[in-house]
């Protein structure tokens, strides 16, 4: 899931800091996901999906397809 988040973040040209400010998800939460200390809960995935304009299923899919 984190890889997909990074692809979307890079595509939009935003930083973790900006996403954190605009979504209310803390930077430490992103760090925990990156380092495997925790996995995102559905409510956070919904916020990210809305922010990036993708479906929540995009994050839940097993395949690592590229963002177009």
């Amino acid at each position: 899931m984190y890889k997909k988040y990074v692809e979307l973040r890079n595509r939009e040209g935003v930083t973790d800091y900006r996403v954190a400010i605009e979504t209310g998800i803390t930077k430490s939460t992103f760090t925990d996901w990156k380092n495997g200390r925790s996995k995102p809960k559905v409510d956070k995935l919904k916020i990210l999906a809305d922010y990036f304009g993708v479906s929540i299923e995009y994050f839940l899919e097993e395949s690592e397809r590229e963002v177009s």
Side-chain angles (χ1 to χ4, degrees), residues 43-65:
D43 62 328
K44 301 278 194 280
L45 290 178
K46 174 74 171 117
I47 291 168
L48 288 176
D50 290 345
Y51 180 79
F52 287 112
V54 298
S55 70
I56 194 169
E57 288 80 14
Y58 172 78
F59 289 111
L60 300 174
E61 291 173 350
E62 290 296 320
S63 66
E64 293 292 331
R65 65 180 174 86

Side-chain angles (χ1 to χ4, degrees), residues 22-61:
E22 294 181 3
T23 65
I25 301 171
T26 65
K27 280 181 57 180
S28 64
T29 298
F30 295 122
T31 301
D32 288 346
W33 294 346
K34 178 181 180 180
N35 295 323
R37 286 191 291 264
S38 68
K39 292 186 178 186
K41 294 188 169 120
V42 174
D43 62 328
K44 301 278 194 280
L45 290 178
K46 174 74 171 117
I47 291 168
L48 288 176
D50 290 345
Y51 180 79
F52 287 112
V54 298
S55 70
I56 194 169
E57 288 80 14
Y58 172 78
F59 289 111
L60 300 174
E61 291 173 350

